[in-house]
Amino acid sequence: MSKISLGAKTLAAPTPAWLVGTYDATNRPNLATIAWGGVCCSDPPAVAISLRKSRHSYDAITARKAFTINVPSEQFVREADYVGIVSGRDTDKFAATGLTPVGSTLVDAPYVAEFPLVLECRLIHTIEIGIHTQFIGEIVDVKAAEEILNAEGLPDGELVRPIVYDPGTRNYFGLGKILGKGFVIGKELRTQSGGTSGQE
């Protein structure tokens, strides 16, 4: 398949549509929608998110050394987009969206009661990259609604129904159908090629 050069752009797709929960300087709970984020370490379990210094949540994370990652289900796509449109400096985003803030007992940040999956994070590293600053948070707990757990007690993507974002088209998507089981579907090719087990 031939390729066309598009230049150096942030077109890795999809990205998550996460809502970051913080308390601002007035102790008001706030949310910021982010797409630049993902798991960055297994031990300690950690996620990385990137924010511009101009964002209201930047100062909150810097001061409180904590944040939450709130994973919305598809039914909350309008709320997720709205949170990314307005600023917490002049808008109470929880009140405007009808979402409910819950104070974490583990980190100095709120999370969204209505969302099915929440990661409570303690800030462990701050990295200046360019126009964005990357905050790395150690996951101190994962809170999940019972309704999204599978038989093994783990969150199931089909039940979470998370939102993903395409930076190129600026469209939100659901996950779609299951394509195969990780570390299983590829075994057929390994058998054919005679490759050894392990991960790169």
Side-chain angles (χ1 to χ4, degrees):
M1 183 181 295
S2 63
K3 304 293 190 293
I4 298 172
S5 174
L6 301 178
K9 299 178 181 179
T10 55
L11 296 179
T15 64
W18 287 348
L19 274 65
V20 175
T22 57
Y23 287 119
D24 68 15
T26 66
N27 294 317
R28 185 169 68 179
N30 186 49
L31 293 168
T33 303
I34 65 110
W36 297 168
V39 172
C40 64
C41 189
S42 300
D43 186 11
V47 292
I49 61 170
S50 294
L51 293 172
R52 296 183 186 220
K53 288 185 174 67
S54 60
R55 297 288 291 271
H56 189 51
S57 296
Y58 177 94
D59 290 336
I61 294 173
T62 301
R64 304 282 181 142
K65 309 298 183 189
F67 58 91
T68 62
I69 298 295
N70 301 270
V71 181
S73 53
E74 292 177 5
Q75 71 189 86
F76 293 106
V77 65
R78 288 178 179 83
E79 290 82 352
D81 191 54
Y82 173 83
V83 164
I85 293 172
V86 299
S87 173
R89 289 187 178 89
D90 48 35
T91 303
D92 183 336
K93 298 184 187 182
F94 277 97
T97 57
L99 298 174
T100 308
V102 178
S104 168
T105 59
L106 299 175
V107 298
D108 193 9
Y111 62 85
V112 180
E114 290 82 1
F115 288 5
L117 188 62
V118 173
L119 284 65
E120 295 165 289
C121 303
R122 177 178 63 87
L123 181 66
I124 56 174
H125 294 294
T126 300
I127 303 168
E128 299 297 335
I129 301 172
I131 64 169
H132 284 78
T133 299
Q134 186 175 69
F135 295 109
I136 297 177
E138 180 180 358
I139 302 167
V140 299
D141 193 30
V142 176
K143 288 182 168 54
E146 287 188 40
E147 296 80 8
I148 68 163
L149 301 180
N150 62 17
E152 288 75 41
L154 296 172
D156 185 321
E158 282 195 302
L159 302 175
V160 176
R161 299 178 65 81
I163 304 163
V164 294
Y165 180 70
D166 178 357
T169 64
R170 295 189 173 184
N171 287 322
Y172 295 101
F173 294 88
L175 286 186
K177 65 180 181 179
I178 294 175
L179 301 178
K181 190 78 169 177
F183 301 98
V184 174
I185 193 171
K187 286 184 178 179
E188 180 180 334
L189 293 178
R190 190 181 73 188
T191 301
Q192 292 173 0
S193 67
T196 58
S197 62
Q199 290 176 259
E200 290 296 320

